[in-house]
Amino acid sequence: MSASFVHHRIDAAPRRWQAVADRLAGDGARRIGEAGGQLYGIWRSQIGRPRDEVQAISVWPHGTTAVAAERALLATSDDIRAVTSEVLTPTLRPTDTVPPIRQGNYAFRWFAVPEPNWPEFLDLCAAAWPGFEGAYDSQVVGLWQATGDRTGTRPDEVTGAGLHGGVRSLLLTRRPNLAMWERSKLPEGEAEAAVRDKLSRRYDLCDWTVVSTATLLTAVDRADTARWT
């Protein structure tokens, strides 16, 4: 697939995350559509990131730059303290531009993998995902490789940009809830243990990784009203 995806991280002013997210889902989505793209999803922090941070992903079938995508998503910044955007290309997944729509526990995990280890990293993902999804009612939404096209030049501790070499990537995984997160770390039986071995090997191939979780504001089945962070 030749489409470009752009990950956006928006630091809203205190208590303004919902207003910012509503604006992104409305006017932001409209402007992205007028520019030839599509809003893929908007997420709010659950665990590991500040309460007033919002993450969004936009998708561009004919490609884009981080600056252009960010400009389309955000027209005003009165209640936004900072924003960073980065272009990503899909690897094994996604294979289309259909956005996720089910509520759940979404894990945003960034990796930095030495280039010689990247082919094995991908092979382990491909081998482990079917068993992972079947055992835990979970879905791997995508694994994207960072292109290096991003807004801003400062090192970013959240994505590893400017701090870690090799291949940086974003893995987005949906679980139904946090209970399944814990369940997926405690394999039962040989089949689940084999999946965990593959994922553990993948973990050991990288130089750096970090994860936070979020819930999907653009879900169509139910809203998440819990107070997490």
Side-chain angles (χ1 to χ4, degrees):
M1 182 173 58
S2 60
S4 295
F5 291 72
V6 182
H7 175 264
H8 310 271
R9 192 172 77 251
I10 301 102
D11 181 12
R15 298 174 298 280
R16 294 294 294 170
W17 66 267
Q18 183 69 68
V20 169
D22 290 345
R23 200 162 68 245
L24 300 181
D27 291 342
R30 176 184 53 79
R31 286 190 301 271
I32 289 173
E34 292 172 349
Q38 173 191 353
L39 182 64
Y40 193 70
I42 304 173
W43 292 261
R44 74 178 181 105
S45 296
Q46 185 183 51
I47 292 177
R49 297 299 304 156
R51 178 199 62 187
D52 294 297
E53 180 179 281
V54 177
Q55 295 184 79
I57 296 177
S58 58
V59 57
W60 303 84
H62 305 293
T64 191
T65 65
V67 170
E70 185 176 298
R71 187 180 299 120
L73 180 66
L74 297 162
T76 60
S77 58
D78 292 343
D79 51 2
I80 294 174
R81 300 195 297 189
V83 57
T84 59
S85 302
E86 182 162 14
V87 177
L88 309 170
T89 57
T91 61
L92 303 173
R93 296 186 190 177
T95 59
D96 55 39
T97 60
V98 178
I101 57 174
R102 296 174 62 198
Q103 189 57 269
N105 161 253
Y106 284 80
F108 284 76
R109 179 178 288 278
W110 292 88
F111 292 96
V113 179
E115 289 190 14
N117 294 352
W118 181 243
E120 183 182 356
F121 184 94
L122 289 176
D123 289 344
L124 288 165
C125 289
W129 288 349
F132 169 81
E133 292 175 317
Y136 306 117
D137 185 27
S138 302
Q139 297 78 44
V140 176
V141 178
L143 173 64
W144 295 270
Q145 182 174 340
T147 68
D149 176 5
R150 61 188 180 102
T151 57
T153 59
R154 298 178 60 182
D156 188 344
E157 65 176 5
V158 178
T159 68
L163 295 172
H164 303 283
V167 178
R168 284 189 307 109
S169 60
L170 170 63
L171 174 66
L172 180 59
T173 307
R174 177 199 173 272
R175 295 172 176 82
N177 48 50
L178 280 171
M180 191 59 76
W181 172 285
E182 182 178 12
R183 168 75 179 84
S184 69
K185 305 298 180 181
L186 303 171
E188 297 178 357
E190 293 183 4
E192 291 186 16
V195 169
R196 177 49 50 189
D197 287 345
K198 293 182 179 68
L199 296 178
S200 295
R201 170 60 182 165
R202 184 192 68 182
Y203 187 89
D204 293 338
L205 287 174
C206 62
D207 282 340
W208 170 89
T209 185
V210 68
V211 66
S212 62
T213 65
T215 57
L216 183 62
L217 288 170
T218 46
V220 301
D221 55 347
R222 62 181 177 87
D224 173 52
T225 58
R227 295 295 180 260
W228 294 104
T229 54

